[in-house]
Amino acid sequence: VERLDGVTRERFLRDIYPRRMPVVLTGLELGTCTTKWTVDYLSQAEGSKEVKIHVSAVPQMDFLSKNFVYRTLPFDVFVRKAAEVKHKEYFLTEDEKYYLRSVGEDVRKDIADIRKQFPILAEDVHIPEYFEKEQFFSSVFRISSAGLQLWTHYDVMDNFLIQVTGKKRVVLYSPRDAPYLYLSGTKSEVLDVDNPDLEKYPLFVKAKRYQCFLEAGDVLFIPALWFHNVISEEFGVALNVFWKHLPAESYDKTDTYGNKDPMAASRAIQILDRALKTLEELPEEYRDFYARRMVLRIQEKAYRNDYG
């Protein structure tokens, strides 16, 4: 993944954004957070407000098998625990991993917004304004233990991953490689992208891997629909900013996470499911024949020519 220093808003919108490729932006003005957000400062700044966190006994978190538990801790206690490697007090094991992904007050209705959930910390951050104010969707505050790996997934909105402190490794895959990623909804079943089980996931070798390492102060642009798998190489704090680049009515109003498919895509998938159900009325030989014709029709009508 390309690293570019000191990119202006104009250059980003003119040269980088239209390419729809991930890029690491360095040297941006992010505010005092990059130097200020130590464990001590974070703990005292937002005090003992309760936060809901993921606790995992293993470094690789799996959303599909749910190999983690949710627990609630005071924010200051959580920050100190996440910064430890071994824990004297623990929920599952002494080397368990912690992960906070901030959410709105009511998860069903409210989006994550650092200005609302962590107002004191929000004052330390200058979010790069490379999109219009009305396009803003959410700002998600994240804290991870060292070694924690998040499952591979895509989001339906463009976003900036702002690495405030600590280091991350991010592995990305293009939307065109979706056929090789063994998807279940927005998530890939392939957890270990470094040592995949190729007997179980033989097509995974065809997916082209893009990789970058984020240091404190780096900002990764992740275009919508790009798959990403994130490892926190150190205890660290990050902020994701999501924005809408499709017309506002394209998005599902009940989506507070920014990962529900656009309304038209959801409707199309429902219609397809009904079509497949209708095909079941035919004997196998006919069903196979007409299913193949449907696939060809989809390719002809909806695939991009430049994808090959």
Side-chain angles (χ1 to χ4, degrees):
V1 175
E2 204 177 353
R3 292 177 69 88
L4 297 172
D5 190 58
V7 171
T8 61
R9 181 181 199 260
E10 292 68 32
R11 186 180 164 208
F12 178 75
L13 292 174
R14 186 188 67 227
D15 302 336
I16 298 163
Y17 192 62
R19 285 171 25 205
R20 312 301 297 155
M21 291 286 288
V23 62
V24 179
L25 306 172
T26 63
L28 298 187
E29 179 45 59
L30 300 174
T32 55
C33 54
T34 48
T35 49
K36 213 169 166 182
W37 284 7
T38 61
V39 171
D40 287 341
Y41 174 75
L42 290 168
S43 320
Q44 57 99 64
E46 294 285 355
S48 57
K49 72 158 82 188
E50 304 253 287
V51 287
K52 190 178 180 186
I53 56 166
H54 301 66
V55 182
S56 177
V58 294
Q60 270 172 344
M61 281 172 54
D62 181 358
F63 193 82
L64 298 171
S65 73
K66 297 281 196 293
N67 66 347
F68 51 85
V69 295
Y70 292 104
R71 292 290 180 264
T72 302
L73 280 176
F75 183 72
D76 50 355
V77 174
F78 156 70
V79 170
R80 295 193 180 283
K81 286 178 86 65
E84 299 169 345
V85 177
K86 288 262 189 283
H87 314 292
K88 287 196 179 69
E89 293 174 20
Y90 48 85
F91 298 106
L92 306 170
T93 64
E94 65 172 9
D95 53 2
E96 64 196 12
K97 308 288 182 196
Y98 300 96
Y99 171 57
L100 166 71
R101 183 235 188 261
S102 67
V103 291
E105 305 312 314
D106 178 341
V107 183
R108 290 184 303 278
K109 294 203 292 276
D110 302 325
I111 54 149
D113 185 342
I114 190 172
R115 293 167 299 192
K116 291 180 184 156
Q117 286 100 40
F118 299 93
I120 296 164
L121 295 178
E123 289 176 17
D124 302 334
V125 187
H126 179 261
I127 290 169
E129 290 171 1
Y130 286 17
F131 49 92
E132 301 300 327
K133 286 214 177 351
E134 59 273 16
Q135 289 179 280
F136 171 84
F137 174 71
S138 66
S139 50
V140 181
F141 185 59
R142 300 180 191 268
I143 298 183
S144 326
S145 294
L148 184 86
Q149 183 168 14
L150 274 184
W151 53 87
T152 306
H153 67 285
Y154 71 86
D155 300 292
V156 299
M157 295 187 196
D158 290 337
N159 89 80
F160 280 147
L161 170 55
I162 302 166
Q163 191 63 28
V164 181
T165 69
K167 291 181 183 167
K168 279 200 175 82
R169 184 198 79 176
V170 186
V171 175
L172 302 113
Y173 299 95
S174 158
R176 73 179 70 181
D177 283 343
Y180 316 132
L181 295 177
Y182 298 87
L183 296 187
S184 177
T186 60
K187 298 158 187 76
S188 167
E189 290 178 21
V190 187
L191 273 192
D192 191 341
V193 293
D194 300 306
N195 299 292
D197 179 344
L198 294 177
E199 281 189 11
K200 200 172 178 187
Y201 308 117
L203 294 176
F204 186 69
V205 291
K206 293 187 173 187
K208 181 180 176 185
R209 173 188 179 117
Y210 295 79
Q211 180 169 287
C212 63
F213 292 89
L214 301 181
E215 309 264 340
D218 288 348
V219 176
L220 171 62
F221 168 53
I222 306 176
L225 309 182
W226 271 77
F227 296 88
H228 44 288
N229 177 290
V230 182
I231 288 188
S232 296
E233 301 205 318
E234 302 173 339
F235 163 77
V237 184
L239 184 67
N240 272 101
V241 185
F242 292 88
W243 69 91
K244 303 170 184 174
H245 77 291
L246 304 178
E249 62 276 12
S250 307
Y251 299 100
D252 187 327
K253 296 279 181 288
T254 66
D255 183 10
T256 55
Y257 283 91
N259 62 5
K260 284 191 179 175
D261 293 316
M263 301 291 277
S266 299
R267 287 200 305 276
I269 289 166
Q270 285 170 351
I271 294 164
L272 177 64
D273 285 340
R274 285 204 296 277
L276 292 169
K277 190 96 186 112
T278 309
L279 277 188
E280 287 174 16
E281 295 169 21
L282 292 166
E284 188 180 30
E285 182 186 356
Y286 285 81
R287 193 167 65 227
D288 178 274
F289 174 71
Y290 287 103
R292 288 172 196 274
R293 279 194 59 190
M294 283 166 68
V295 168
L296 288 170
R297 196 176 171 93
I298 289 172
Q299 285 178 336
E300 190 186 311
K301 295 279 186 194
Y303 274 28
R304 284 176 63 160
N305 296 329
D306 59 352
Y307 264 20

